[in-house]
Amino acid sequence: MLRISMCSRTTDRRTPRRLLAATAAFLSLSFTGAALPHSATAADAAATGSTGSTGSTGSTVRTGLTGDSVSVTPASPQVPVGVTAGVAVFDRQTGTFTEQLAPAAAFRSASVVKLLIALDFLWNRSPGSLPAADRTRLDAMLRSSQDAAANHYWSTYGGPAIVERMVTRLGLADTAPPPAGYEGYWGYTAMSARDVVTTYRHILESAPAPVRDFVMERLRQSTRCASDSFDQHFGIAGAFDRPWAVKQGWSGQYAKGNCGSVSAASVGEGDRDGDGDASVDLSRPALHTTGTVGAGDRSIVAVLTLHPDGTSYGKAYTDLGRLTRSLNVPGGTAAKGKWYGTWGQDVAVRPEPVVGGDPLTRLPAGVEVLVGCQKKGQSVSVPPYTNDWWAYLPQYGGYITNIYISHPADRLPDVPLCTNPK
């Protein structure tokens, strides 16, 4: 958060009266302020990714405003505190894994199982001969993670039998149908990171070319806003420049989706929270990023994560992003810019550095964002704060006012000025 004029951020952000004023002003600007900004220390940590992390064989302590790290043991992968992760990165060029962390651990798949649902339907079918209705369903299921499409195939083609067939066909080692009592919930299918890699290897290396092209084309065209209005461009999609292709998964007691110009949400029948006796955790918030990175789909990446109860979507999104950025992914090009934390809820990303009109989308509350450049624009006031600097977010193609960047300065000190027409 920025210091505005001569106001003291430390004092102001702890004052309930100021918070109410800020919230009212925020609403008038088509933003919704949820909380006042972090302290300067917390902001520095958010901006640099500073955290104590536990990796596959030990820990890495990251310190300093420059994001420098002191490696106590191998630094990769860096798992944020409280996060349970299964990781596998496979380099198709060398035929070796460059990262493995609990690769056989089973997680509830959430929407990642939609890969198996699509492959099962296409097993004896040519994409070129599909009825229009099925092409539409598969397109929505793979690009926008539409639950209604998954529900259709799950209920029509045998539910758990879909998973059983694909386990046999692909030789999956850790994948299993939903546990007893949850047969209708496709999101409770158990999958491991190594089985996700096996699934992508089948698509890329064994499936008929029309099936491979049909599936991968849709994963490359993943929409930022999923069908349930959650922002699904986390993990791989946030850590690396294109080319990439992704199939993501999320499940948990998250707030409603806020992606797009209008907040909305829907609950899919196959991807709910649960409890009870099951072989995989059905209750903790899950967030998964899977797909390929680099020219020729060089690397296959699978990062499956569970987060502490009560974790917000923005916090899980940020932690998964940090973990993914720590991985050794051959062929991947790290996204360029500086990472900063944000504060507030439903912060609007706008096509120009001005208030008004429909936003491009809205940020998950408290999410970390990549800032490419900054420029002056319309002055924005959220009492007691006023600022005319705006941050350009290249991955969103738009701007947010610097007021909602977790940093004490009006103008970010390590971010260049925007020199293009944007």
Side-chain angles (χ1 to χ4, degrees):
M1 174 59 194
L2 297 170
R3 183 189 71 251
I4 308 302
S5 301
M6 299 300 292
C7 298
S8 168
R9 295 175 63 253
T10 302
T11 301
D12 291 340
R13 69 169 165 271
R14 294 177 181 172
T15 306
R17 183 178 301 171
R18 299 285 180 101
L19 174 58
L20 291 173
T23 302
F26 190 23
L27 285 169
S28 70
L29 294 170
S30 297
F31 298 99
T32 303
L36 285 172
H38 302 157
S39 67
T41 300
D44 293 337
T48 62
S50 175
T51 183
S53 305
T54 301
S56 56
T57 58
S59 63
T60 296
V61 179
R62 300 192 61 175
T63 59
L65 297 181
T66 61
D68 293 335
S69 63
V70 179
S71 296
V72 180
T73 55
S76 180
Q78 296 176 22
V79 182
V81 173
V83 175
T84 300
V87 178
V89 179
F90 183 77
D91 181 358
R92 295 177 62 234
Q93 183 170 302
T94 63
T96 60
F97 284 92
T98 61
E99 299 282 11
Q100 292 191 85
L101 171 64
F107 292 73
R108 75 184 188 277
S109 67
S111 290
V112 177
V113 75
K114 290 170 182 173
L115 291 171
L116 299 184
I117 294 173
L119 290 173
D120 179 75
F121 180 74
L122 294 170
W123 196 258
N124 292 313
R125 294 177 174 87
S126 170
S129 62
L130 293 178
D134 283 309
R135 291 184 67 87
T136 299
R137 288 191 193 99
L138 290 170
D139 184 77
M141 187 173 73
L142 294 173
R143 293 186 64 222
S144 304
S145 205
Q146 187 187 83
D147 289 348
N151 294 340
H152 167 79
Y153 292 113
W154 191 259
S155 62
T156 304
Y157 296 98
I162 294 173
V163 177
E164 293 169 352
R165 289 192 294 266
M166 295 311 298
V167 165
T168 299
R169 290 165 172 169
L170 304 189
L172 303 178
D174 314 303
T175 299
Y182 296 96
E183 292 86 352
Y185 297 93
W186 41 259
Y188 288 173
T189 296
M191 293 190 77
S192 66
R194 69 179 181 180
D195 276 1
V196 172
V197 169
T198 298
T199 301
Y200 278 101
R201 291 194 68 188
H202 166 78
I203 295 169
L204 294 166
E205 300 166 9
S206 302
V211 172
R212 176 198 64 212
D213 295 344
F214 181 89
V215 173
M216 294 305 299
E217 178 183 350
R218 279 146 184 81
L219 301 187
R220 296 187 217 288
Q221 297 173 351
S222 166
T223 60
R224 173 170 289 281
C225 296
S227 293
D228 61 1
S229 295
F230 278 90
D231 186 328
Q232 63 169 349
H233 277 189
F234 48 77
I236 294 167
F240 302 103
D241 287 339
R242 291 182 185 270
W244 47 251
V246 294
K247 183 67 206 79
Q248 317 280 54
W250 55 99
S251 173
Q253 292 290 347
Y254 296 121
K256 67 179 181 179
N258 65 338
C259 194
S261 59
V262 179
S263 296
S266 62
V267 179
E269 290 300 313
D271 194 11
R272 293 182 174 177
D273 303 309
D275 48 27
D277 184 14
S279 60
V280 295
D281 189 313
L282 302 181
S283 60
R284 279 192 292 165
L287 201 65
H288 310 320
T289 185
T290 78
T292 65
V293 176
D297 300 299
R298 174 169 175 176
S299 287
I300 299 171
V301 180
V303 184
L304 312 180
T305 62
L306 293 174
H307 302 259
D309 289 335
T311 299
S312 70
Y313 193 67
K315 177 67 164 60
Y317 193 117
T318 294
D319 283 348
L320 179 58
R322 292 179 176 181
L323 170 54
T324 306
R325 296 198 300 273
S326 77
L327 301 177
N328 176 14
V329 180
T333 301
K336 297 176 179 62
K338 296 289 184 177
W339 291 94
Y340 280 95
T342 63
W343 67 279
Q345 182 174 327
D346 290 351
V347 174
V349 180
R350 301 189 176 279
E352 299 294 339
V354 295
V355 175
D358 290 335
L360 297 172
T361 188
R362 295 179 183 275
L363 299 178
V367 74
E368 203 168 57
V369 295
L370 185 72
V371 179
C373 62
Q374 61 188 327
K375 67 185 297 185
K376 283 194 172 185
Q378 180 180 352
S379 181
V380 175
S381 293
V382 180
Y385 309 113
T386 299
N387 199 347
D388 60 357
W389 283 94
W390 291 68
Y392 179 67
L393 311 184
Q395 296 177 331
Y396 294 82
Y399 295 85
I400 64 170
T401 168
N402 279 14
I403 283 179
Y404 295 102
I405 299 287
S406 297
H407 192 279
D410 291 6
R411 175 180 172 182
L412 303 177
D414 55 357
V415 174
L417 295 177
C418 298
T419 56
N420 58 33
K422 291 290 292 183

